[in-house]
Amino acid sequence: MLDHEAYEQAVTMLSEARHIKVFSVIHNLLLCHDFKSKMNRIGKQVSLCEFDAEFEAANSDETTCALLISYTGESDYTVGLIPYLKKQRVPVLALTSLGENAISNQADCTLRLTTRERLYSKIGSFTTNDSIHCLLDLLYAGVFSTDYEANMAYKVQISKRFDHRKSSSEVMQED
């Protein structure tokens, strides 16, 4: 399902952004904490816009990349942010379902989520969550690879300074 050209465009958008703002409903934002943590460890500033999303959108500019995550692509909350973002010339990257929807029609770049779950008659959002997590991991890997050596050096340096982890396992030992 991953369109290679769209993926490359998405990686470029995130790599070039000074600030990445993630907009979604709260249960999807919970999945984004891992993405934020990974990106922060390579010096990319990521905000999860849980509150005052309209103000976050309005206070963005062309150096920001907005990452909109919406399974349906039609939620009033997320769709309502697009006019603010467009007015500020913010590049918009969408993670949303297959097919046309309000968000994919207005985004600068769209990556597609697995679309297998019904809106209400489901036990949980298992495939949606896996799809979001997979795409965020791929985006992180793509951004990391744009300057692999520098990102690896920075990540190791920052991790050594702040993580303070130890292990008695030889497999995990560092030089």
Side-chain angles (χ1 to χ4, degrees), residues 28-175:
N28 287 340
L29 283 177
L30 292 172
L31 302 170
C32 298
H33 284 275
D34 181 55
F35 174 73
K36 177 183 176 179
S37 177
K38 288 174 183 169
M39 294 293 274
N40 284 337
R41 282 176 166 70
I42 60 170
K44 295 298 286 183
Q45 186 179 5
V46 176
S47 297
L48 305 181
C49 301
E50 298 178 56
F51 306 103
D52 294 331
E54 294 87 357
F55 291 106
E56 289 288 346
N59 290 321
S60 300
D61 61 26
E62 61 274 355
T63 67
T64 304
C65 181
L67 175 55
L68 305 181
I69 303 173
S70 174
Y71 181 65
T72 65
E74 302 289 346
S75 70
D76 292 339
Y77 167 80
T78 313
V79 173
L81 297 172
I82 295 174
Y84 297 107
L85 296 166
K86 291 296 184 179
K87 184 177 181 184
Q88 299 301 108
R89 294 187 301 272
V90 176
V92 176
L93 169 59
L95 304 186
T96 190
S97 62
L98 293 171
E100 297 299 312
N101 60 53
I103 290 175
S104 67
N105 288 335
Q106 298 179 70
D108 297 298
C109 179
T110 301
L111 299 179
R112 301 301 180 162
L113 298 172
T114 299
T115 310
R116 296 278 186 204
E117 296 164 334
R118 299 210 179 262
L119 292 177
Y120 306 111
S121 60
K122 61 185 175 199
I123 297 170
S125 300
F126 300 116
T127 61
T128 303
N129 292 353
D130 287 346
S131 187
I132 291 169
H133 194 245
C134 179
L135 287 175
L136 292 174
D137 276 351
L138 288 170
L139 289 169
Y140 165 71
V143 171
F144 194 104
S145 71
T146 60
D147 195 359
Y148 182 87
E149 295 297 327
N151 286 328
M152 181 57 81
Y154 184 79
K155 184 184 178 311
V156 168
Q157 172 202 353
I158 206 85
S159 294
K160 282 182 177 179
R161 183 168 182 187
F162 296 113
D163 279 353
H164 307 293
R165 293 187 281 174
K166 297 176 184 170
S167 174
S168 58
S169 171
E170 284 187 36
V171 173
M172 291 185 243
Q173 296 297 320
E174 295 273 354
D175 295 330

